[in-house]
Amino acid sequence: MAQPGASESPPPAQAPHRGWTEHEVELLLGRLLQVGVAISAAVVLAGGAVYLVRHGGAGPHYGRFVGEPAELRSVTGILHAAAAGRGRAVIQLGLLLLIATPVARVAFSLFAFLRERDRAYVLITSFVLALLLVSLAGLGG
Amino acid sequence: MTILLFSLLVALGSFTAGLLGALTGLGGGVVIVPLLTLGFGIDFRYAVGASLVAVIATSSGAAAAYVREGYTNVRVGMLLEMATTVGALLGAYLAGVVATSALAIVFGLVLIYSAYASSRPGPERLVSTPDPLAQRLRLDDSFPSLTGEQAYHVQRVPLGFALMTAAGTLSGLLGIGSGAVKVLAMDQAMCLPFKVSTTTSNFMIGVTAAASAGVYLSRGYIDPGLAMPVVLGVLGGAMLGARILTRTRSTRLRTLFVLVILALGAEMIYNGATGRI
């Protein structure tokens, strides 16, 4: 592996990368984030249209906190209600995809570090991914 | 007011926040919660939930561009994400047990600090000697400067890590990106070049916010009807802002936005102290 700081010659130090170069990984990372945000925004927009058409004439009620119903607080609940075509659930599905976008980015980084056989960063990235999944697992039910 | 009109107004306000945030480089996330609570009388918890998902959207959108330009230090980002995600989970937990009036006061203080920090950026501190821990973690990198690729050495990793834990906690507690604290950790403590620290900070914000967003969603703080206009508005504003001003940043607009942030900070503290939030 490359020795940082020890600048002997021009950087063919990058050469022994297996598979992708660091720049290719960055390009793929960027593309992943872009696609994730675009898909989420489209789903939110579609759900928003349904919601506004059906309920646009009602009054908003955000002055007092009551919390969301159970079906909008868990992955399975959101999937069921969204499949039934409920606007608010489709928006929530879009938000769920948005939250999943950085998680997918970390999973991709783990994959990239595994390919590079960079053990320290495989551990670091696994730790972050595990924490994210634990947080989302709270939604499991 | 009907939901239709309400959604349009919230989307317009969020669009403006996203636009100003992108044009001034200060990020729009920090004004979303004051806009919703002070401007629309929305409960603090709903406001934080909506702000958190908007922060994920804008940071992921911007990160896509920055990563490809080669400024972002992915290793530094990954390492410090350990600190910010732990902090974010802690913050999300605390948000459930601390009174919202106390949270509003903390929010106000963070706003005032952000305004202060962005009006007086510290000097760029590049160090030419490598740090053993940073070397072992292979954090040193280079970035594209006007005179070609310029190498830099990362310093004081433990201090940066500790500051990032605090930044993550604030993010989970208040539903913001806490860019100001992140930049403090990376610019001043770890001696990263400006452009590297802002882009790496932005790169980490999405992951940090995602860690607490799971907790917020399962607690019922994220309302789709409110989050929809906020996310779409901020995202649209940020995209337009990035398009019309890629390099030059208007200093007058920046000063104006800093003053707005200061005023919002004072108002948040006042409303928290008098128990209105």
Side-chain angles (χ1 to χ4, degrees), chain A residues 85-127:
Chain A
R86 295 200 38 215
R88 281 167 57 84
V90 174
I91 299 174
Q92 205 76 326
L93 179 65
L95 300 179
L96 207 54
L97 291 172
L98 194 58
I99 297 171
T101 297
V103 183
R105 195 277 281 163
V106 173
F108 174 76
S109 289
L110 175 61
F111 181 63
F113 285 128
L114 274 170
R115 283 182 70 127
E116 282 183 47
R117 311 214 179 150
D118 188 334
R119 206 170 301 157
Y121 280 86
V122 166
L123 283 176
I124 289 169
T125 313
S126 306
F127 175 80

Side-chain angles (χ1 to χ4, degrees), chain A residues 69-79 92 96 138-141, chain B residues 217-218:
Chain A
E71 60 171 24
L72 294 181
R73 299 196 326 214
S74 71
V75 175
T76 47
I78 292 169
L79 288 176
Q92 205 76 326
L96 207 54
L139 302 171
Chain B
L217 193 75
S218 59

Side-chain angles (χ1 to χ4, degrees), chain A residues 5 13-14 34 37-38 42 49 61 65 80 108 110 116-117 132 139:
Chain A
Q14 298 280 353
Q34 226 169 16
V37 172
H61 51 83
F65 182 76
H80 277 131
F108 174 76
L110 175 61
E116 282 183 47
R117 311 214 179 150
L132 288 170
L139 302 171

Side-chain angles (χ1 to χ4, degrees), chain B residues 65-214:
Chain B
Y66 291 144
V67 169
R68 277 176 284 149
E69 285 171 19
Y71 289 106
T72 311
N73 187 324
V74 175
R75 279 207 166 78
V76 168
M78 265 333 301
L79 178 71
L80 296 180
E81 274 167 11
M82 287 207 293
T84 60
T85 45
V86 168
L89 288 176
L90 176 67
Y93 166 74
L94 288 175
V97 293
V98 177
T100 52
S101 53
L103 293 179
I105 294 175
V106 176
F107 203 112
L109 293 174
V110 171
L111 281 172
I112 289 172
Y113 172 72
S114 306
Y116 165 80
S118 60
S119 58
R120 311 188 45 214
E124 188 158 67
R125 301 168 44 165
L126 295 188
V127 177
S128 52
T129 47
D131 171 86
L133 181 58
Q135 272 200 309
R136 203 158 355 123
L137 291 165
R138 302 207 285 138
L139 297 177
D140 292 346
D141 201 351
S142 63
F143 71 104
S145 73
L146 293 174
T147 52
E149 282 289 313
Q150 196 191 334
Y152 56 86
H153 295 291
V154 179
Q155 308 291 312
R156 285 178 294 208
V157 179
L159 177 62
F161 200 86
L163 284 169
M164 286 316 244
T165 312
T169 308
L170 285 177
S171 170
L173 195 62
L174 306 174
I176 56 175
S178 33
V181 183
K182 287 199 173 85
V183 169
L184 174 76
M186 291 196 275
D187 271 19
Q188 300 301 308
M190 300 175 77
C191 302
L192 293 174
F194 281 148
K195 188 88 187 186
V196 175
S197 81
T198 46
T199 55
T200 306
S201 153
N202 177 78
F203 177 72
M204 299 165 54
I205 285 173
V207 169
T208 310
S212 36

Side-chain angles (χ1 to χ4, degrees), chain B residues 222-237:
Chain B
I222 298 180
D223 182 89
L226 176 64
M228 179 261 299
V230 172
V231 168
L232 295 178
V234 172
L235 200 55

